[in-house]
Amino acid sequence: MQVEGVEYDAEGSSIRLRGKNLTENDHVKLGAYHTLELEPHRAFTLYKAVWDALDVDRVRQASDPALSADLAAVLITKARPGALCRAGSGVARHCARVGPQGGGRNPAGDC
């Protein structure tokens, strides 16, 4: 799916991704629009054509339960660099930019 929109539901602790299906399957036709919902404790597969070491490290850190985030997400769009976000204990934080221009941690350094 090529993500065209992202919506965070703080009350339901989920992220909804809207976009166009890029591969046909039994459930969604090629080119059809679809919505996926990401929730804590529900596995999903994240695909990106090219991963650099910094991106891999950020995903590894975001998925580390020792960091006590209830939910972590990497949001990637064509229009701007991606973002690594963490949500936990009623607080959501933008932690880093992810993209070909390089990335950087949140200036506050609290992620």
Side-chain angles (χ1 to χ4, degrees):
M1 181 170 91
Q2 180 176 354
V3 176
E4 296 179 2
V6 178
E7 182 181 317
Y8 175 65
D9 177 7
E11 189 173 306
S13 297
S14 66
I15 297 175
R16 281 185 284 286
L17 307 172
R18 295 182 324 274
K20 190 183 285 189
N21 193 30
L22 299 177
T23 57
E24 189 162 358
N25 62 56
D26 293 338
H27 307 286
V28 183
K29 291 185 178 185
L30 177 66
Y33 281 85
H34 188 59
T35 300
L36 297 173
E37 191 162 348
L38 305 179
E39 300 172 321
H41 311 292
R42 187 170 154 196
F44 68 95
T45 301
L46 176 65
Y47 172 80
K48 182 177 173 182
V50 178
W51 292 87
D52 63 26
L54 189 57
D55 293 340
V56 172
D57 187 50
R58 286 186 179 137
V59 171
R60 195 173 288 131
Q61 287 178 19
S63 61
D64 184 349
L67 297 177
S68 72
D70 295 324
L71 178 68
V74 179
L75 308 175
I76 301 172
T77 67
K78 281 187 176 180
R80 53 180 113 59
L84 173 62
C85 303
R86 285 185 40 211
S89 304
V91 177
R93 294 185 178 127
H94 175 263
C95 297
R97 291 182 310 279
V98 180
Q101 284 81 17
R105 283 183 121 352
N106 182 342
D110 56 358
C111 287

